[in-house]
Amino acid sequence: MALKIHDYEKVVGPEKIAELERLAEPLRGLSLLHVNSTLVGGGVAEMLHSLVPLFNELGIKTRWEVIKGSPLFFRTTKSIHNALQGNGMEIAPEMLERYREINRRNAEILDLNADIVVIHDPQPLPLIEGRPPGRSRWIWRCHIDISHPAKEIWDFLKGYIERYDMVILSMPEFAKYLPIPQDIIPPSIDPLSEKNRELQAKKIEEVYAKHGVPRDKPILLQVSRFDPFKDPIGVIEAYELVKREVDCRLVFAGGIASDDPESSEVLERVRRRVQGNSSIHLIAPQGEPLPALEINALQRGADIIIQKSLKEGFALTVTEAMWKGKPVIGTAVGGIKLQVIDGVTGFLVRSIEEVAERITFLLHNPDLAQEMGEMGWEQVRRNFLITRHLRDYLRLFSIITPR
Ligand code: UDP
């Protein structure tokens, strides 16, 4: 059943919902279009599934379009993504031409007419070339860490970015020198979605049993796409250090996003690395992401949640973990720093050894682990729920709406 805005009153209180309705009132009838590059897998799709119906309920006529591309296009956009996050690889001029061309074709097929158009991430960035004439406002919403991009790719993309009316970033340290305004809006989770709603203990048991993970020892979990930036091998190495001190299991769960061609290779590497180890459980359905409810159950059944990313735009997986009252051991990068309060809701770490040390410490101190989990829940309730996200968008739209 579709969720209604008033359903969220029980999580954030009636005042916050009344505030959303007040902000939306003068914007009623406004048309809003979101464009990204995948319907499933990854944080952007996750958020749009929840945001789009709520915007509509608030009277903003909201559509969501997904660009279509070939395997070469997605290999190119993944290389662009990696280069923007500072992984300085060369991207051949033909690939960039293809990137442009596929976007040109998408601009012809898609209906890009709306008062406000929000283009998510680099994949559909060149759609700006197909901007229809009129008084619309175009926003580039960048979800990744662009603080230290490879210069060539940044110079290339800047040509498109500067044609937008503004940029939205997830945190202040991602801001760039640009001739257009930049706003900061951190991402959010939907507390009532299948991914995050409360579950009965029986359901959690069932999901663990389905995936053949015994709950006889403490469970460490990382949920991620299979991406080198999520450092799955680093997680395994940290686990092996912990295992010398405390007996526990490691669960690594994640599917493959359709716009991420690198993931099958990374998954294969991880599979080879854990082969024959009966305390490491790889839950990785080929071809499609894990169902949201199963991720929810895995997170709720874990004792400690790890996010050992090397770069991170935000990490919704961290928000999801904290919402489930779990302490998080996360690397001190990007959006993880925005979320994990070091020593309060978990620990920010900088090396494999430190990951292992903090996990071991928490396994020896379960009461503290529980307290940290509770603080994490409160941190998310105050700052990273979808209602705050809607509020930030509505406030921005009330400033930039064409009149
Ligand atoms: N996710 C999922 N299935 C998977 C792996 C991840 O549904 O197999 C979800 C995860 O729960 C989170 C989102 O995808 O909601 C990942 O967002 P995050 O910001 O952590 O990372 P991104 O993949 O966008 O880099």
Side-chain angles (χ1 to χ4, degrees), residues 32-39 44-45 48 52 62-68 106 109-114 117-120 124 127:
L32 169 64
L33 169 65
H34 288 277
V35 186
N36 82 324
S37 64
T38 178
L39 252 183
V44 178
L48 288 176
V52 169
T62 307
R63 292 184 294 125
W64 171 12
E65 299 276 8
V66 177
I67 56 162
K68 292 193 179 58
N106 274 282
I109 301 164
L110 298 176
D111 175 4
L112 297 175
N113 287 292
V117 178
V118 184
I119 302 290
H120 295 265
L127 283 182

Side-chain angles (χ1 to χ4, degrees), residues 15-28 30 58 60 387-399 401 403:
E15 301 80 17
K16 295 270 189 250
I17 304 305
E19 183 188 15
L20 291 179
E21 290 177 322
R22 224 174 20 250
L23 283 165
E25 184 54 36
L27 298 170
R28 285 189 89 81
L30 187 82
L58 286 164
I60 318 279
T387 38
R388 189 275 307 148
H389 201 172
L390 280 166
R391 186 201 63 196
D392 289 355
Y393 266 126
L394 292 172
R395 279 187 184 161
L396 176 68
F397 294 165
S398 60
I399 298 168
T401 296
R403 283 167 219 281

Side-chain angles (χ1 to χ4, degrees), residues 41-44 46 195 223-225 230 253-256 289-290 295 299 307 312 314-318 320:
V44 178
E46 178 80 20
K195 177 73 63 69
V223 175
S224 284
R225 289 179 296 108
K230 310 286 181 183
I256 288 172
L290 267 177
I295 293 183
Q299 288 166 329
Q307 191 60 53
E312 194 59 78
F314 186 68
L316 284 176
T317 47
V318 166
E320 291 160 6

Side-chain angles (χ1 to χ4, degrees), residues 164-301:
Y164 280 75
D165 296 301
M166 70 176 301
V167 174
I168 301 177
L169 301 164
S170 296
M171 57 192 293
E173 68 185 53
F174 297 166
K176 309 292 298 171
Y177 284 105
L178 285 171
I180 54 173
Q182 297 169 67
D183 196 12
I184 307 298
I185 301 186
S188 64
I189 59 161
D190 179 348
L192 303 182
S193 68
E194 290 285 279
K195 177 73 63 69
N196 298 306
R197 70 179 171 85
E198 280 184 29
L199 292 180
Q200 289 183 344
K202 196 166 121 259
K203 187 74 216 171
I204 300 170
E205 291 293 342
E206 259 172 47
V207 170
Y208 271 83
K210 172 181 168 187
H211 292 290
V213 184
R215 301 183 71 205
D216 51 349
K217 302 167 193 168
I219 288 175
L220 317 178
L221 169 72
Q222 176 161 306
V223 175
S224 284
R225 289 179 296 108
F226 287 89
D227 179 319
F229 280 120
K230 310 286 181 183
D231 197 14
I233 302 290
V235 175
I236 295 164
E237 287 175 5
Y239 168 73
E240 285 166 348
L241 292 177
V242 176
K243 190 84 162 70
R244 290 185 198 164
E245 307 276 330
V246 191
D247 198 11
C248 57
R249 295 186 180 277
L250 172 66
V251 178
F252 207 107
I256 288 172
S258 64
D259 64 346
D260 183 0
E262 246 179 328
S263 44
S264 328
E265 286 162 42
V266 178
L267 172 58
E268 217 22 66
R269 231 175 297 145
V270 175
R271 213 187 279 290
R272 278 201 300 276
R273 182 71 165 70
V274 304
Q275 218 160 32
N277 188 331
S278 61
S279 332
I280 303 184
H281 304 266
L282 194 56
I283 303 178
Q286 286 282 8
E288 56 193 73
L290 267 177
L293 198 84
E294 293 192 11
I295 293 183
N296 187 347
L298 291 171
Q299 288 166 329
R300 289 188 187 274

Side-chain angles (χ1 to χ4, degrees), residues 338-354:
L338 196 66
Q339 300 187 70
V340 173
I341 308 173
D342 193 26
V344 178
T345 68
F347 291 105
L348 288 172
V349 291
R350 289 166 181 80
S351 66
I352 289 173
E353 291 70 27
E354 213 184 338

Side-chain angles (χ1 to χ4, degrees), residues 49-61:
H49 277 295
S50 293
L51 283 169
V52 169
L54 293 175
F55 269 126
N56 276 306
E57 203 198 331
L58 286 164
I60 318 279
K61 292 183 286 174

